C-alpha cells in the first residue's frame, strides 16, 4: 500500500465534499470557509500525487498535511467550532508553502 497515495486521494475526496457543502448547504462566512478550505485542500491533494510520482514524498506529505490542517480548521469553524481555530489555519498554509519550496529544491537539484 502506498500511504501517501491513499491519504492524498482521501484528502481530495474530502475537499470536494467540503466545497460542495459550501456551495449548496451553507451560507455566509461558513460557505466561504468551506469553499476556500476545499479549494486549497484539493489543489494540494493533486500536488501531493504529482510530487509522489516525481519521487518527492517529503513535499507530498507537507502538501497533504498542510492542506488538511488549513482546510480542516476552516471546516471546523464552518461547523461551529470557536473562531480561535482560525489562528491555526496559517500553520497549514506554512506547511503548504514549505512543500512548494522543497519541491522547487528537488527540481533545482535535478
Amino acid at each position: 500500500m502506498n500511504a501517501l497515495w491513499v491519504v492524498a486521494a482521501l484528502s481530495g475526496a474530502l475537499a470536494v465534499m467540503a466545497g460542495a457543502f459550501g456551495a449548496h448547504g451553507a451560507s455566509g462566512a461558513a460557505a466561504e470557509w468551506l469553499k476556500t478550505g476545499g479549494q486549497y485542500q484539493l489543489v494540494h491533494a493533486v500536488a501531493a500525487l504529482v510530487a509522489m510520482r516525481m519521487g518527492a514524498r517529503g513535499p507530498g506529505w507537507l502538501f497533504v498535511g498542510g492542506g488538511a490542517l488549513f482546510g480542516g480548521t476552516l471546516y471546523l469553524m464552518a461547523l461551529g467550532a470557536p473562531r480561535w481555530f482560525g489562528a491555526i489555519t496559517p500553520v497549514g498554509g506554512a506547511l503548504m508553502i514549505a512543500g512548494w519550496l522543497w519541491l522547487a529544491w528537488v527540481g533545482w537539484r535535478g
Side-chain angles (χ1 to χ4, degrees):
M1 178 181 81
N2 189 324
L4 179 55
W5 188 278
V6 172
V7 172
L10 292 173
S11 181
L14 178 60
V16 172
M17 289 186 280
F21 183 56
H24 303 291
S27 61
E32 291 303 313
W33 290 332
L34 289 163
K35 289 177 191 177
T36 299
Q39 178 183 10
Y40 276 80
Q41 188 175 12
L42 182 59
V43 166
H44 287 85
V46 173
L49 293 170
V50 171
M52 186 198 68
R53 295 295 292 172
M54 293 174 56
R57 291 186 179 282
W61 282 111
L62 287 176
F63 292 149
V64 169
L69 189 58
F70 183 91
T73 55
L74 293 176
Y75 305 156
L76 289 172
M77 289 192 313
L79 296 173
R83 295 285 295 263
W84 63 261
F85 270 66
I88 302 169
T89 307
V91 175
L95 291 174
M96 292 183 289
I97 292 167
W100 286 112
L101 293 173
W102 190 350
L103 192 60
W105 177 251
V106 168
W108 179 265
R109 292 190 61 202

